[in-house]
Amino acid sequence: MQYDILLIGGNGFVGRALAAQLQLAGYSVLIPSSHPAMGRELRMLPKVHVEEADVHDFDELQSLCARVKPGGAVINLVGVLHDRPAQPYGKIFKAAHVDLPKNIMTAMQMHGLKRYLHMSALGADSNGPSMYQRSKGDGEAAVKASHLDWTIFRPSVIFGAQDQFINLFAKLTKLFPAMPLANHQAQFQPVGVEDVATAFIKSLTMPKTIHQSYDLVGPKIYTMREIVELAARKAKTTCAIIPVPAFVGYLQALAFEFLPGPTLMSRDNIASMQLPNVLPANGIDALGEVFKISRRSLEGI
């Protein structure tokens, strides 16, 4: 069977929202996943097919692209948040943010596919202060150098009912009566997951979005402290926030990196916070001005 859309990274937080919207819009969707059992709710969508595949294997990637209809599109949402320190970035970031997009685009060209939607990140910059930002910046450069009909999306922190950002702080405020918080003045402009998904879908039928990059942000800027306070209110708990110097946050992140289980915060995350994660002063509110989307607020989560 051939599909309208190959959705790479479709089994994640953003991917599940996007797959549901694609289904509603009438698209048939193929989602490759190394953990297909995690996408149980996706299996309830009749036009969405999840199957086991390793997108980092080029032969499998070619096989997947061969199953996209002529005139169909490939959407790449793959992103990772943590890696071991290296210059300019480690192997995990390189594999996910640079090598994979290059391989996807090569496989697309081999099968005559042109339309490619790419998930980057606000602040992506090949010369940025963090490994994450630099790897995302190099990924964008590779996309722009291709001969495909590409569109790049650069969201701020993405929130939603199942996000790993607000929910993390909500859990922490339940566990601890007080929270030492470094970089408490770091700024973010969180954007709703459904709004991000809608922008992706609208771009599929908007030729003017080809060869364009769009910053995706919510309607309001928050400091890190304000986000944690909001998370505490949502969790119906109280948590005293204790601002601490940046070097304390660095030491906390270093400790988190060596604890068992998933990394909650890394030194690279701290480096990313050196720059405000908000719409640039001369930036365009793409959700409102280009895609005509009424943006959801963080308070309405």
Side-chain angles (χ1 to χ4, degrees), residues 8-283:
I8 298 172
N11 209 3
F13 166 55
V14 178
R16 290 191 293 271
L18 180 52
Q21 287 199 27
L22 285 166
Q23 148 90 19
L24 286 174
Y27 294 98
S28 57
V29 185
L30 173 60
I31 299 178
S33 174
S34 55
H35 303 287
M38 291 175 58
R40 285 189 293 255
E41 67 267 40
L42 293 174
R43 297 182 186 278
M44 300 174 64
L45 303 174
K47 300 192 75 172
V48 175
H49 176 63
V50 183
E51 68 176 53
E52 187 168 5
D54 180 6
V55 296
H56 295 283
D57 182 291
F58 187 70
D59 290 338
E60 289 195 46
L61 199 51
Q62 275 197 79
S63 176
L64 292 164
C65 285
R67 295 163 62 189
V68 179
K69 295 176 183 177
V74 177
I75 301 175
N76 175 25
L77 301 177
V78 173
V80 293
L81 293 175
H82 306 294
D83 198 352
R84 293 296 183 185
Q87 290 294 332
Y89 38 79
K91 292 180 180 179
I92 297 173
F93 282 148
K94 183 175 184 294
H97 300 160
V98 184
D99 295 342
L100 179 59
K102 288 181 177 179
N103 287 340
I104 291 170
M105 292 184 290
T106 299
M108 287 178 64
Q109 289 169 328
M110 292 175 68
H111 292 281
L113 300 173
K114 293 287 290 180
R115 194 69 173 108
Y116 175 62
L117 307 186
H118 180 80
M119 176 72 91
S120 185
L122 196 63
D125 182 348
S126 295
N127 298 307
S130 73
M131 296 189 298
Y132 176 82
Q133 291 164 326
R134 292 193 292 272
S135 64
K136 280 290 191 178
D138 284 355
E140 284 192 14
V143 173
K144 292 176 180 178
S146 76
H147 298 291
L148 299 177
D149 293 340
W150 53 265
T151 304
I152 294 172
F153 296 91
R154 299 158 50 93
S156 182
V157 171
I158 302 176
F159 69 85
Q162 297 178 323
D163 70 49
Q164 298 299 311
F165 187 66
I166 308 299
N167 282 315
L168 169 63
F169 288 119
K171 291 175 184 176
L172 291 175
T173 59
K174 285 182 177 180
L175 291 173
F176 303 107
M179 183 185 300
L181 189 65
N183 300 289
H184 63 98
Q185 291 298 324
Q187 292 184 319
F188 302 88
Q189 200 165 351
V191 59
V193 65
E194 298 295 339
D195 295 341
V196 172
T198 301
F200 270 80
I201 291 175
K202 286 195 170 189
S203 72
L204 290 171
T205 55
M206 296 173 66
K208 71 176 184 179
T209 65
I210 292 173
H211 298 160
Q212 299 297 318
S213 300
Y214 295 110
D215 294 335
L216 304 182
V217 297
K220 184 177 175 182
I221 295 173
Y222 301 82
T223 64
M224 176 66 85
R225 179 174 189 144
E226 289 170 337
I227 289 174
V228 175
E229 289 172 342
L230 177 64
R233 291 197 299 272
K234 292 296 181 182
K236 294 182 172 57
T237 187
T238 55
C239 179
I241 297 172
I242 306 169
V244 297
F247 78 90
V248 176
Y250 183 88
L251 294 175
Q252 286 177 324
L254 178 62
F256 278 134
E257 288 179 28
F258 289 96
L259 289 174
T263 301
L264 301 179
M265 182 69 69
S266 70
R267 287 168 286 174
D268 197 61
N269 298 148
I270 299 294
S272 291
M273 292 182 201
Q274 291 179 25
L275 299 175
N277 196 248
V278 303
L279 188 69
N282 60 346

